[in-house]
């Protein structure tokens, strides 16, 4: 397993409920290191561009509306097999299907308001990180 980077987003449902610190603690506890982080409130154009890959899906409009409904915390995580490890800590997309002890099982409300996003591949991670952070913001 190689050291890699991945993007993590703590979604509006979690920031609204003041769960940011608990979520970061779980990620760090799993051996992931936060090497860049900021709290932002996306405008509609930001969310649309970020989720452009889903633009033809029926859930796209609701996803954009949700991701612009409050602040989010975006971060770059680094560690051995970071993408898989982050996804394991997050759990399955739907809290109903997520394993006990995962972020989505413990904090998610439903499939949309599932508290966290993580890159699903090295290619996606590279693209998502570049969308949200300049190289000088990644200070790991």
């Amino acid at each position: 397993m190689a050291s890699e980077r991945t993007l993590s987003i703590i979604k509006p449902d979690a920031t609204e409920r003041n769960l940011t610190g608990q979520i970061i603690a779980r990620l760090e506890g799993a051996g992931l290191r936060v090497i860049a982080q900021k709290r932002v409130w996306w405008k509609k154009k930001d969310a649309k561009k970020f989720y452009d890959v889903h633009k033809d899906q029926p859930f796209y409009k609701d996803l954009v509306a949700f991701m612009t409904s409050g602040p989010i915390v975006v971060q770059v995580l680094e560690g051995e097999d970071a993408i898989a490890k982050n996804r394991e800590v997050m759990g399955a997309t739907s809290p109903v299907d997520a394993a006990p002890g995962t972020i989505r099982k413990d904090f998610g409300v439903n499939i949309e308001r599932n508290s966290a996003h993580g890159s699903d591949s090295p290619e996606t991670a590279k693209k998502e990180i570049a969308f949200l952070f300049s190289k000088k913001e990644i200070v790991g």
Side-chain angles (χ1 to χ4, degrees):
M1 293 184 204
S3 182
E4 64 186 0
R5 293 177 175 176
T6 189
L7 182 82
S8 167
I9 299 177
I10 301 173
K11 294 181 177 181
D13 63 296
T15 62
E16 176 185 29
R17 292 178 289 144
N18 206 29
L19 299 172
T20 303
Q22 291 179 66
I23 291 172
I24 294 167
R26 288 185 185 205
L27 296 168
E28 290 179 330
L32 296 167
R33 189 165 166 240
V34 178
I35 61 170
Q37 181 183 72
K38 55 188 169 184
R39 186 180 186 96
V40 297
W41 195 322
W42 272 348
K43 303 241 184 282
K44 191 180 269 191
K45 68 178 175 66
D46 302 318
K48 282 183 168 183
K49 188 172 181 183
F50 186 83
Y51 288 109
D52 186 63
V53 67
H54 299 303
K55 69 181 173 196
D56 295 327
Q57 299 296 324
F59 59 82
Y60 178 72
K61 280 180 76 173
D62 289 339
L63 177 61
V64 169
F66 168 58
M67 291 301 291
T68 58
S69 68
I72 59 175
V73 175
V74 294
Q75 47 196 2
V76 179
L77 306 176
E78 185 175 68
E80 293 298 315
D81 207 21
I83 294 167
K85 192 172 287 184
N86 181 41
R87 295 185 73 74
E88 181 182 325
V89 174
M90 284 190 310
T93 303
S94 174
V96 172
D97 300 327
T102 61
I103 291 167
R104 289 173 170 163
K105 183 65 161 189
D106 294 347
F107 303 131
V109 176
N110 57 40
I111 197 164
E112 180 183 79
R113 297 176 182 278
N114 62 11
S115 300
H117 164 88
S119 304
D120 61 6
S121 71
E123 298 76 27
T124 303
K126 188 174 181 178
K127 179 182 169 190
E128 291 178 343
I129 290 167
F131 179 79
L132 291 163
F133 292 93
S134 69
K135 287 185 184 203
K136 68 180 181 177
E137 291 177 303
I138 302 172
V139 295

